[in-house]
């Protein structure tokens, strides 16, 4: 009984190894197009992971941050408000700090400065997304290029074989055609969904920045009214 189970396990491992080897062989049969597709997949995964982590850190904010800023400003404790901003590594904290540096200037100047800082923060968050969008469109095109190359190779082999056409003559071209198409679509789909996910997350942060910017400007107007 134990011997039978061991034989079954060995056969299962052997079959799994055969599948792994066959998948690797199939990838190699895709031809040179698989090399740029592999590089694009690495770049896409890196951008998605790095941007996800950056956006995750940027979206973290103390829920009482703006309330504390409000209390400090109304009490005239601008240095305490600036120190609080310096302890928060978020876009909101950075544009509030920029507004506090211009607290003695007209409100229009402060608002312009805040908008500039907000645009810079969004631009930093969107860093790398154009490349990801390019990969989402370019990878399938590379895959289709491999398809065309594979079909040209298959028809060329057929023309050289004359009347002695054998399926093995077509296998190389068919492998290139099918495998590169699948690989290009996989890379493109990953980049496409990653791009849209990150864009949506940045959109939420942008709305939060705009909302906090409005609250900050209303706070400055309230303070100037009381004075």
């Amino acid at each position: 009984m134990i011997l039978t189970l061991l034989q079954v396990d060995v056969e299962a491992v052997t079959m799994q190894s055969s599948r792994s080897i066959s998948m690797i062989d199939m990838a190699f049969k895709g031809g040179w197009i698989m090399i740029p597709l592999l590089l694009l997949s690495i770049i896409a995964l890196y951008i998605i992971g790095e941007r996800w982590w950056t956006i995750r850190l940027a979206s973290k904010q103390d829920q009482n941050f703006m309330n504390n800023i409000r209390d400090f400003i109304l009490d005239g404790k601008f240095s305490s408000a600036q120190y609080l901003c310096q302890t928060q590594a978020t876009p909101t904290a950075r544009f509030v700090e920029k507004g506090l540096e211009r607290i003695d200037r007209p409100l229009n100047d402060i608002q312009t400065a805040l908008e500039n800082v907000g645009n810079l923060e969004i631009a930093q968050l969107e860093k790398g997304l154009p490349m990801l969008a390019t990969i989402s469109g370019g990878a399938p095109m590379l895959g289709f290029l491999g398809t065309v190359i594979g079909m040209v190779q298959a028809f060329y082999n057929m023309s050289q074989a004359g009347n002695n056409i054998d399926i093995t003559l077509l296998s190389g071209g068919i492998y290139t055609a099918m495998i590169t198409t699948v690989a290009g679509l996989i890379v493109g789909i990953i980049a496409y969904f990653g791009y849209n996910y990150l864009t949506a997350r940045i959109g939420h942060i942008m709305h939060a920045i705009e909302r906090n910017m409005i609250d900050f400007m209303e706070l400055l107007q309230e303070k100037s009214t009381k004075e």
Side-chain angles (χ1 to χ4, degrees), residues 167-187:
I167 190 64
T168 58
L169 296 175
L170 306 177
S171 61
I174 294 174
Y175 266 125
T176 301
M178 296 297 101
I179 293 173
T180 54
T181 300
V182 172
L185 289 174
I186 290 174
V187 176

Side-chain angles (χ1 to χ4, degrees), residues 15-110:
M15 291 177 62
Q16 184 65 31
S17 300
S18 299
R19 292 195 193 99
S20 300
I21 294 173
S22 64
M23 290 295 293
I24 295 174
D25 290 340
M26 288 175 62
F28 278 112
K29 289 181 182 297
W32 64 269
I33 291 290
M34 297 297 290
I35 297 176
L37 287 176
L38 176 62
L39 294 177
L40 290 179
S41 66
I42 294 173
I43 294 173
L45 292 175
Y46 171 78
I47 293 175
I48 292 172
E50 189 271 338
R51 286 294 91 189
W52 175 82
W53 181 254
T54 301
I55 293 171
R56 180 174 179 270
L57 293 178
S59 61
K60 284 187 175 181
Q61 179 176 308
D62 185 1
Q63 298 295 327
N64 295 320
F65 174 76
M66 290 303 297
N67 293 330
N68 293 331
I69 291 294
R70 175 186 176 84
D71 294 338
F72 285 140
I73 290 178
L74 293 180
D75 293 340
K77 300 178 180 179
F78 301 118
S79 59
S80 299
Q82 287 180 325
Y83 176 76
L84 179 61
C85 292
Q86 293 170 359
T87 60
Q88 303 285 327
T90 62
T92 298
R94 284 189 283 269
F95 84 71
V96 169
E97 183 180 7
K98 182 65 66 175
L100 291 172
E101 292 175 356
R102 290 163 170 75
I103 196 69
D104 295 330
R105 297 187 181 183
L107 293 179
N108 290 333
D109 293 345
I110 296 176

Side-chain angles (χ1 to χ4, degrees), residues 192-214:
Y192 177 77
F193 282 104
Y195 173 83
N196 283 280
Y197 171 76
L198 295 175
T199 302
R201 292 289 303 273
I202 292 174
H204 290 308
I205 295 177
M206 186 173 10
H207 292 318
I209 290 176
E210 292 175 351
R211 184 174 61 252
N212 291 329
M213 188 181 301
I214 293 173

Side-chain angles (χ1 to χ4, degrees), residues 146-164:
T147 301
V148 175
I149 293 174
M151 297 308 297
V152 170
Q153 180 182 347
F155 283 114
Y156 176 79
N157 293 336
M158 289 175 61
S159 66
Q160 294 297 311
N163 295 327
N164 299 321

Side-chain angles (χ1 to χ4, degrees), residues 113-126:
L114 295 182
E115 290 175 352
N116 292 334
V117 173
N119 292 332
L120 290 175
E121 291 292 337
I122 297 301
Q124 287 295 322
L125 293 177
E126 292 177 342

